[in-house]
Amino acid sequence: MSIARHWRERTVRYRLEGQRHRHTGEVRFPVRPPALDEDPNDWEPYQLSGLGEIYSFSVIRQAPAGFASLGIYPVALVRLAEGPLVTAQLTDCDEADLAIGMPVEMVTRRLMDTGEDGVLVYGYKFRPCLR
């Protein structure tokens, strides 16, 4: 991913900003351009709470290229309190403690180091929370 793309997506990555439909109240994430048959003014920026629960999860034991430094790590589908499902890495937790329905909260963490250009990429992950 290019440095310019990281910069353009910083709001989504750091603040978990989605969109809400002005008339129906539907919330979506990530932000998308309007469909051809939609009025562009129907969707407004919407700050998601960052709270949700684990809908499903898995543990990555053989990391894909570029992620080997992470070792073994859990990823999940998180159902946000506002409705959308988000795929994200889980952090600050033990694999044995993970469960479907577990409450989680969004945190900002380092995602990767792009290498020689020196760019550190931060974004959202989720961790267990007490509610």
Side-chain angles (χ1 to χ4, degrees):
M1 189 181 305
S2 72
I3 294 172
R5 182 172 176 193
H6 288 300
W7 181 253
R8 283 191 311 272
E9 295 178 357
R10 71 190 183 283
T11 301
V12 172
R13 289 178 186 266
Y14 298 163
R15 294 193 329 197
L16 211 60
E17 186 173 277
Q19 292 173 305
R20 182 174 59 185
H21 195 275
R22 294 180 193 274
H23 305 295
T24 66
E26 175 190 353
V27 176
R28 66 185 184 187
F29 180 85
V31 172
R32 296 190 299 261
L36 293 175
D37 61 343
E38 288 181 320
D39 180 344
N41 296 316
D42 284 348
W43 293 94
E44 62 187 355
Y46 185 74
Q47 181 66 48
L48 297 160
S49 68
L51 298 175
E53 64 180 36
I54 295 176
Y55 180 81
S56 182
F57 70 94
S58 183
V59 177
I60 306 300
R61 298 189 187 286
Q62 284 190 299
F67 293 90
S69 65
L70 296 176
I72 297 172
Y73 60 95
V75 294
L77 278 174
V78 173
R79 170 79 63 193
L80 297 174
E82 296 84 2
L85 274 173
V86 176
T87 303
Q89 185 177 346
L90 298 173
T91 189
D92 304 338
C93 59
D94 292 324
E95 176 184 339
D97 297 333
L98 297 175
I100 292 174
M102 174 184 275
V104 292
E105 63 186 348
M106 189 274 295
V107 292
T108 301
R109 295 285 193 269
R110 187 169 81 173
L111 298 179
M112 71 177 82
D113 180 344
T114 61
E116 292 184 22
D117 61 11
V119 176
L120 297 176
V121 179
Y122 287 84
Y124 60 85
K125 294 184 182 184
F126 285 82
R127 69 176 176 200
C129 69
L130 302 174
R131 285 195 239 167

